[in-house]
């Protein structure tokens, strides 16, 4: 395959591609029927993507999940956006709406128009409202950090928590203001929130970035469980208890709701396809992937079954507070935005925990196409550096795949001091990334070697061969082990412990002991002419581009300036 794009360019999270369908109109009322039509209790199955879920009758010490929806009979049923319906911008407000888009990279005008406590459709799968949860669930601190959030979106997030969470389980809501510049997020926010005793506002005096802002919130939290949310969400009916139930079941379970979509354009609340896992592709881009239909059928997976995920999206999850602290929380060396979801996911799985999506817990989120706030340093570099930190600490030998897909990072990124993180991993006796791949994410393609085979030149009908510690060019023979080379993700052309390398200024090519990260040993596999791809040395002291070439007279190998017409290259 061709070179995959680095973390550069595209947003690190693949949220935009999230398949979304409008929630059926009137679902609020339909919900009841659906619930009654739900099939009876069936034992869950345990599989790789799924975890057995106890179905309960009327067990002592348990109760049916509380619907807790004060908004089901809304104050103003005819208000725009009520029940999560789409809203249109009036013709004479188009300009205004457009000019306000940048405030949050979504329709801030419409957000202000719809009630901060609107009702939304109960999008839970049939059966969820019958599920039993324990009476003694742990209480939670909800932590929401934000920088320059749109006022009404922030309020709606808070109200959705207040009106749809059992008060007994909601210890507090901690709003961490990550040094916003907007005036209304200062005094006015404190004043508004002062009428809700459970809401605390923490103003950071300098910009921490979302990762360290969450840590600041966690530090003052008093609940047994921490529940992190973004500041532009709407928690749906019955969202909290199913999350806490998982943590209660085992304190190393990290529970994520299904993230539904609040349209950035019309503010409608949309459900998403069921059976989606959080996954990543190289170089650690987050994405969603549907569980294949045959897997669903074979394992008889139901819509309400827990889905185990290789990685979480990042923003919304509940975690036991003590466990989070044992895990060292987040690497505090991660800046601003990005990569922390990979870090926490690898850490949880490799150090004995689990990441789960709980289909009976649903929270809407406004997905934006771009971050609406500025990055103190370059955005792309910030995210890349965060990911490189994660790769260095958690990926073991597989970090070569990360760098292989983001090759430019290999020699340009300064990841900073990692000793604390490496010590933490040792102290926790976490498993290897290889273990993670085999047990948690077996469907990820992660071959340690990128390609292997012969290095042939078609025009001269010969192959490169190793003879002792030097190189020769001879007749191709697929059976000859001397002609077998590996091409690694770090761009090394490797034969055992030896690597193909330009030697000295005269342009001769020989064999040298391999060293993982060494540009002078690296070769880029590039199509130069239309014929076939060749090897271009990445040696920093050779004139670029320098191509691997067969000296036809002496049948020796050398590097020379690339020339598309030279068929010996
Ligand atoms: C996703 C996650 C987000 C985070 C991010 C990767 C979801 C729904 N969202 O991107 O939580 O894991 O991936 O890092 O899974 N914020 C600050 N200070 C900053 C930057 C952001 O407080 O310097 C706040 C921001 O106001 C928001 C939250 O952090 O409430 C997450 O940021 P986002 O909404 O821009 O991230 P998102 O949803 O694109
Ligand atoms: Mn967000």
């Amino acid at each position: 395959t061709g070179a995959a794009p680095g973390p550069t360019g595209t947003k690190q999270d693949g949220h935009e591609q999230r398949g979304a369908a409008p929630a059926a109109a009137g679902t609020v009322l339909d919900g009841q029927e659906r619930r009654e039509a739900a099939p009876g209790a069936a034992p869950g199955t345990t599989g790789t993507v799924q975890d057995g879920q106890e179905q309960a009758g009327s067990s002592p010490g348990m109760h049916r999940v509380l619907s807790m929806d004060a908004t089901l009979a809304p104050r103003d049923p005819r208000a725009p956006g009520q029940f999560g319906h789409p809203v249109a911008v009036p013709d004479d407000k188009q300009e205004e709406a457009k000019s306000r888009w940048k405030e949050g990279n979504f329709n801030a005008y419409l957000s202000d128009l719809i009630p901060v406590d609107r009702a939304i459709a109960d999008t839970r799968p049939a059966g969820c409202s019958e599920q039993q949860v324990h009476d003694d669930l742990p209480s939670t601190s909800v932590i929401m950090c934000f920088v320059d959030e749109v006022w009404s979106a922030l309020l709606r997030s808070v109200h959705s928590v207040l009106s749809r969470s059992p008060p007994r389980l909601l210890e507090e809501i901690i709003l961490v203001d990550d040094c916003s510049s907007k005036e209304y997020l200062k005094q006015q926010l404190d004043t508004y929130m002062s009428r809700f005793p459970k809401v605390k506002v923490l103003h950071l005096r300098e910009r921490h970035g979302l990762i360290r802002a969450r840590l600041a919130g966690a530090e003052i939290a008093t609940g047994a469980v921490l529940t992190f949310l973004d500041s532009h969400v709407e928690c749906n009916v019955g969202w909290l208890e199913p999350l806490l139930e998982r943590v209660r079941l085992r304190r190393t379970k990290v529970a994520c709701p299904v993230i539904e979509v609040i349209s950035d354009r019309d503010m409608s609340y949309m459900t998403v396809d069921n059976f989606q896992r959080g996954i990543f592709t190289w170089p650690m881009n987050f994405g969603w992937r549907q569980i294949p239909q045959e897997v669903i059928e074979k394992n008889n997976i139901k819509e309400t079954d827990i889905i185990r995920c290789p990685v979480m999206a990042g923003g919304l999850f509940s975690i036991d507070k003590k466990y989070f602290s044992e895990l060292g929380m987040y690497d505090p060396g991660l800046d601003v935005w990005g990569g922390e979801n990979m870090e926490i996911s690898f850490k949880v799985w490799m150090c004995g925990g689990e990441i789960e999506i709980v289909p009976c817990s649903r929270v809407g989120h406004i997905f934006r196409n771009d971050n609406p706030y500025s990055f103190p340093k370059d955005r792309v570099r910030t995210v890349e550096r965060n990911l490189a930190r994660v790769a260095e600490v958690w990926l073991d030998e597989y970090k070569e795949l990360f760098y292989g897909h983001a090759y430019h990072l290999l020699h340009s990124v300064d990841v900073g001091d990692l000793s604390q993180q490496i010590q933490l991993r040792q102290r926790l006796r976490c498993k290897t990334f290889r273990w993670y791949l085999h047990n948690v994410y077996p469907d990820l393609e992660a071959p340690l070697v990128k390609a292997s085979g012969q290095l042939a030149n078609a025009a001269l009908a010969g192959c490169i061969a190793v003879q002792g510690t030097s190189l020769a060019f001879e007749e191709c023979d697929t059976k000859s082990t001397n002609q077998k080379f590996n091409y690694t993700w770090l761009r090394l052309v490797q034969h055992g412990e030896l690597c193909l390398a330009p030697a000295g200024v005269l342009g001769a090519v020989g064999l040298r002991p391999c060293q993982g990260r060494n540009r002078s040993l690296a070769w880029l596999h590039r199509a130069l002419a239309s014929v076939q791809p060749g090897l271009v040395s990445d040696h920093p002291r050779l004139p670029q581009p320098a191509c691997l070439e067969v000296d036809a007279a002496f049948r020796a190998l050398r590097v020379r300036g690339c020339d598309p017409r030279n068929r010996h290259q």
Side-chain angles (χ1 to χ4, degrees), residues 230-233 337 365-368:
D230 277 10
S231 52
H232 34 264
V233 298
W337 184 98
H365 168 259
I366 307 177
F367 288 93
R368 289 95 53 99

Side-chain angles (χ1 to χ4, degrees), residues 46 105 133 135 178 213 222-223 228 295 342 360 377 390-391 395 457-458 493 518:
T46 313
N105 282 339
V133 292
D135 295 340
D178 189 12
T222 55
F228 293 99
V295 175
M342 298 293 151
C360 286
K377 291 185 200 140
V390 176
L395 297 196
N457 181 277
V493 178
N518 190 339

Side-chain angles (χ1 to χ4, degrees), residues 140-146 149 154 156-158 160-162 165 170 172-176 210 214 226-236 239-240 243 255-259 314-318 330 361-365:
T140 189
S141 297
V142 169
I143 299 173
M144 242 182 238
C145 67
F146 61 90
E149 187 57 85
L154 176 61
R156 197 170 301 108
S157 307
V158 172
S160 76
V161 174
L162 288 172
S165 313
L170 182 65
E172 60 193 344
I173 300 177
I174 300 174
L175 301 178
V176 186
L210 82 90
R214 279 182 193 163
L226 305 176
T227 298
F228 293 99
L229 295 176
D230 277 10
S231 52
H232 34 264
V233 298
E234 284 171 75
C235 298
N236 209 321
W239 74 288
L240 185 59
L243 296 178
C256 309
V258 170
I259 308 179
L316 326 180
F317 63 98
S318 292
Y330 288 120
S361 173
R362 308 181 86 89
V363 176
H365 168 259

Side-chain angles (χ1 to χ4, degrees), residues 103 146-149 177-187 203-207 372-374:
E103 283 177 32
F146 61 90
V147 55
D148 288 333
E149 187 57 85
D177 166 19
D178 189 12
C179 200
S180 298
S181 56
K182 288 178 179 163
E183 271 316 306
Y184 60 72
L185 292 172
K186 296 172 186 167
Q187 193 56 51
H203 296 282
L204 300 176
R205 264 184 280 156
E206 54 186 48
R207 177 88 177 272
Y373 40 78
S374 66

